[in-house]
Each structure stands twice: as structure tokens, then as C-alpha cells.
Amino acid sequence: MYGFITTTRAAFVRSVTRGVCAGSGRSRKGSAALNFWRSAGLLLLLAMSATARAGLFCSDYGGVIDGSDPATVASLPTQITIDMSCTFKNFTAANPLKVTINFQTNDPSVYLIVFDNVVYTGNLSCSNIPHKIWFSNGSDYGSKNNCQSLFIPVETIDKQVPTGKTAVGIGEVFTYSLTFPSMQLPLGAPSPNTLYNVIIGDDLTATGADLTYISASAYYKGSGLPVTLTPEDGTSGFNLCGLWTAKNLCYKPIPQLNAGDQIVFNVTVVVDNTANNTLGKQFTNVAKWWYGRQIDLNGDGIITPQEYFTPLPGEWGISQPLTIGRPNLVVNKTSPDTALNLAVPTTITIDVQNTGGSNAWNATIVDQLPDGPFAGTCDHDPTTAPGVTAQLFQADGVTPVSGLLVQGSDYTATYSGFPQCELTVTMLSSAAVIGPTERLIITYETQLDADTTADGALLTNIAGATQWFSGDGSYPRRTYNRSLSDGTPATLDHEDSYTITTGLSGYYFQKTVQNLTTGENPGITAAPGDSMRYRLRVFNVDQTIDNITISDTLDPALFETGSFSIVTLPPGSAYSFNSLTGILVVTGNGSPLNLAVGNELIIE
């Protein structure tokens, strides 16, 4: 029970007989009125006490009326009279507190009335009543506000999940941050009161999800000095949050927390790999605490022993909700080229986006290079210079999340030549974790095998994410395995394919587009305001191509032609652009623009 230092109705009677009014904590000399009570009024008070039915006074319940106790609920009268500092707790919306609360007009003491996790639907008259009210932890008095002036600002805990995190995966480790005391006005401010015997507890089993303690640390926000946290083992004399376990964090009292200072308490937990932690389950963590505090009930600035209350229920620290998620990888494979000639390299891009709700760890990407009797790209090792690159980007595919990942420490890239013809890229480090909506973009170069003889052959390259995990493996995690088929080019899933045509004769003229705003490459969709980059490529296999003029028209009704700019222009060429008609013309710069056999022109 809450150990308020106060006086009961019986104590008040005893003190009156001695000529001392207890309850406010101040001694007063006897008076004629008190002598009158000594001789006559005492008999009336004793008679009233003897005839009062059980449960009429708060003191009949020891000062604590607990809605979670069936016997207490069953014995509640319709009215309760406050004759001592009194606590009402644990009356939920399904079991609200309905009693009428009265005050003794013949008792000059000022009491503290605590509502702790109480939905109150009864009547409480606060007119001309000097008592103070402690309203905490979801307590609700409906729309009534006639007692607002009696409410005392309650210290709370500011509990936060990691910035930006809304979901966690199985086996994922994350940290809750608790700052206390934290006042509501101004938001996050420290308390102006010194707190004593501060007890902090966090029941991980009450979240609804299965979490397990990993570590904890605390420090004073003002000085940065560490705070000693001692697990509660039952020897402190308090029984408020139970014994410490890896599921129930309960610490022995911190003796004193000075006014104006705060404690930052970081607790790291892991999401357990259990059947209870189902996909989509939402959970919220609540930290509870208790402390002692002086409250100037009379408002005269003089604190008496009767105005020190312990333990008081602090406002709970309630975290933002998190959701049990899973990583889900979607692969898109592209190249700027649709046709390829002998000895001409092309760049392959594998875009791996995490469309799930939690991090994807240790992803493995497999790329199957085509090989046939007359054409293929199997002989060239893509891990040779310039090699494989990997980098993380935001959902737009443009804004970097990381720098270039380091091969050998952040990821491995291995190539198995004929007959496997497979490139395997595996992420290793925390720097290579693909967060929700993020993209891992892998690039490498390939080229036709030297013995390719088939002109116009279709070479299909299949790549996909074949394995990834929900955590780093320090704790039990879930594994996601996928297999490769034909690349399912029409489906957004873990695999994709890209087809290149062998070009061994004639010439090829290609036009591709990339949506720079969304990162989609090649671009398939665009919204108003998106920036698009077009690429024109002409490569000559075995033709005589001289005095070249290339033109391209951008429809002014669809494009903001004033935003046009040239990024890449072939050497020895010049261009003109008419912003009214949207016509681009590229020609030779003072001399004919020619294209020799085996060479190419690129305009962007």
C-alpha cells in the first residue's frame, strides 16, 4: 500500500482529546472550543464512529482502495468520506469508481487524494475544499473540471523508441530510452521538486509481445555521471514492481534525485523468436515508477513531516507503438543497353528494395549469367576490374544511406564460371543492412563471350535475392529463403530478369529513360514534377556511318521544356534545342559527325 505519512480519523479524535489538531502536521494550543469537545463533543464523535457502517471512511480501507481487489470492490459503499490522505487505484473503464467522495467539515486537516489508473464516474464536490488531488496514469474524471484547481502537476517518464522506427523484426535488438522526471509543462522539462527513493520498473511481459532484456545503463542528464542501477532482489523493503528478471525489470530505490536534474535510462531488448510474436502484432511498452515527494498541502511554504508522501505513483512512461514486421526483398534488374557487340562492356544494375517493415540482414543476391552454344556472357568474371560495387540508398534510389560498401568487410562477391555462370553477392556487416523502404544497388560490368557467333540472339540474365534474415544472428532470428526461376519479369518479387540482344552486324540505335525523382531505372512511370533523364545510344557494328544528324522531340504539352539540359555529348558534336517546339538536334561541330566501326555515340 502507499505509505502516506498522515493521520487517520481515530488519530484525529485522540489528538482532539489532547488539545492538538493533527493531520496538517502543525500543533495548536488548546482553546475553549477544544475544551468543549473534551467535555462533551468527544462523546458525540465517539458515537458517530461507533455507529458508522463499515467502509464509510477511507481509513476503514487502510488509506488504499484498490479496484483490482474483488473483496474491496464488493464492500464499497455508495459514499466514502475522506478522513486521511487516500489512494484510489486500478479502476478501469470496465470497472469504474462510482462512489461519491465526501469530506469531513469538522476536520481542518488538508489531505492528498491520489487517483492512480482510475476511471471515476462518481461525484466529487471540490467547492471550498482545501485538499489536493494527485491524478495519474490514465485516470479519467470525464468532462468534469470543477476540481482542476486542486490538481498537482505529476512527474512523468518520457519514453521513446529509436528515432524513425515503427517496426522490428524477430531477433532484432533495439533500445528504449527513458528520461525522468519529465514535466508536461513545459514539455520535457525537469521537475522543480527533489524526489526521494525513486523506483523504476518495466514489465516486458505486459507489452503483448515477447521481449527479453539485453542490457541497461543510466546517467544523470545534467552531469553525465553514471547512475547505479541495482536489481531488486526483495531486500530493499519495497514490493512495488516485483523481483528483477530478464522479463521484469525492477530496480532498488535511487535514494535522491535533485530538483532540476533528470535521469536518462536506456534499456536494450531483443524481439524473441516465439510463436506469440506474429507478423503485424502491435505492442507498446509501459515503464512504471514510484517516488517520495514533499507536497505543500497548505500552500504556506512550510513543509511538515505530514507533507512528505511516499511512495507516490509517477505518471507512466508509455512508448510509441511498434509492430512486429518482417523484411521483404524485391529485385529489379536493368541495364542501359538492349543490344551488345563483341568486346563492348555493358553495366548491369541489380536494385534490391526492402518493401517489408523491418531490417533485412545478410542478404544474398545471386545473378545467373546466360551461356549458350553460340552466344553468352559467362566467360567474363564480373568481379575483375572495375568489379562489383554495392551501396545503400533511400527509397528514391538517389539519396545515399551509406557510402560505397567495402568488399571483404561489408560484403563478399564471388563468381563461379562455367558451367554455373553465377555471381553471388552476400552482405556481411551492419553497414549493409537494408532498412525498410531502402534500396541496395549492386552494379557490375559484363560483355559477350569472345566465341559468340549468333547475331540477334536473346541473352536473358536472371538475378534474385535467395536468402535474408530478420536479425544479425546474435539471437534467434528468422530466415527467409527463396529460389530462382525465370526471373518473373512481370511480377514484383524477389527475382527479375533482363534480356540483351547480340548485335554482330549493322548498327543499333537505342533510347532509354531514368526517373531521377523516384530512382526508377529504366523509367516506366512518371508524375508531374518528376525529373527524367533520356539516353540516346548509337553503336556501329560493321557499317559505314558518316555525316550523322540525330533529332529528338520533347512534347511541350508533356514536358517543361525550359528545364532541358545536356549532360553528355559526343566529342566533335554540337546541339541546338528549341524550347518552343521541344526539338533537339545533334550534328557535327564544324565537321561531319561520323561513327567508325566498333564505336558508339551517347547523348544524355
Side-chain angles (χ1 to χ4, degrees), residues 566-586:
I566 283 285
V567 178
T568 303
L569 198 65
S573 65
Y575 81 94
S576 64
F577 180 72
N578 188 321
S579 60
L580 296 178
T581 62
I583 296 177
L584 167 68
V585 177
V586 179

Side-chain angles (χ1 to χ4, degrees), residues 56-122:
L56 181 61
F57 292 92
C58 182
S59 59
D60 293 324
Y61 293 91
V64 179
I65 299 175
D66 190 347
S68 64
D69 180 6
T72 296
V73 174
S75 68
L76 281 179
T78 58
Q79 300 185 49
I80 289 180
T81 299
I82 301 298
D83 63 332
M84 64 180 296
S85 288
C86 189
T87 293
F88 300 90
K89 65 178 184 177
N90 301 324
F91 286 88
T92 64
N95 178 36
L97 180 64
K98 304 176 182 179
V99 301
T100 296
I101 297 177
N102 297 322
F103 302 99
Q104 292 193 96
T105 57
N106 61 348
D107 185 352
S109 301
V110 180
Y111 296 128
L112 179 66
I113 306 168
V114 174
F115 292 87
D116 182 15
N117 187 30
V118 170
V119 175
Y120 183 49
T121 60

Side-chain angles (χ1 to χ4, degrees), residues 179-249:
T179 302
F180 58 90
S182 179
M183 305 303 292
Q184 297 294 335
L185 294 173
L187 186 64
S191 174
N193 306 293
T194 295
L195 308 184
Y196 304 91
N197 292 327
V198 178
I199 302 169
I200 183 74
D202 194 341
D203 183 3
L204 298 180
T205 65
T207 65
D210 293 337
L211 308 176
T212 298
Y213 165 89
I214 300 298
S215 64
S217 63
Y219 62 91
Y220 292 102
K221 188 174 182 179
S223 64
L225 295 175
V227 176
T228 300
L229 295 174
T230 305
E232 178 59 75
D233 58 3
T235 62
S236 71
F238 293 87
N239 186 26
L240 295 175
C241 51
L243 301 182
W244 193 98
T245 71
K247 295 289 188 179
N248 180 60
L249 314 182

Side-chain angles (χ1 to χ4, degrees), residues 416-441:
S416 300
F418 182 83
Q420 287 83 11
C421 302
E422 280 189 353
L423 170 66
T424 302
V425 182
T426 300
M427 301 298 111
L428 301 176
S429 70
S430 59
V433 173
I434 313 172
T437 76
E438 291 179 356
R439 297 177 185 268
L440 169 68
I441 295 182

Side-chain angles (χ1 to χ4, degrees), residues 480-504:
Y480 303 88
N481 292 314
R482 300 291 186 270
S483 59
L484 299 183
S485 58
D486 62 353
T488 59
T491 303
L492 289 175
D493 58 6
H494 70 284
E495 62 177 340
D496 195 22
S497 64
Y498 188 81
T499 299
I500 289 181
T501 303
T502 59
L504 306 184

Side-chain angles (χ1 to χ4, degrees), residues 343-421:
V344 177
T346 187
T347 300
I348 299 294
T349 299
I350 305 173
D351 183 333
V352 184
Q353 184 174 26
N354 182 2
T355 61
S358 63
N359 293 338
W361 289 77
N362 306 125
T364 294
I365 314 302
V366 174
D367 193 348
Q368 297 176 342
L369 280 64
D371 186 64
F374 304 106
T377 60
C378 179
D379 294 345
H380 176 75
D381 184 350
T383 65
T384 59
V388 176
T389 67
Q391 188 173 4
L392 291 171
F393 294 85
Q394 293 182 11
D396 59 12
V398 177
T399 307
V401 170
S402 72
L404 284 175
L405 300 177
V406 179
Q407 186 171 341
S409 58
D410 293 327
Y411 71 97
T412 60
T414 57
Y415 182 67
S416 300
F418 182 83
Q420 287 83 11
C421 302

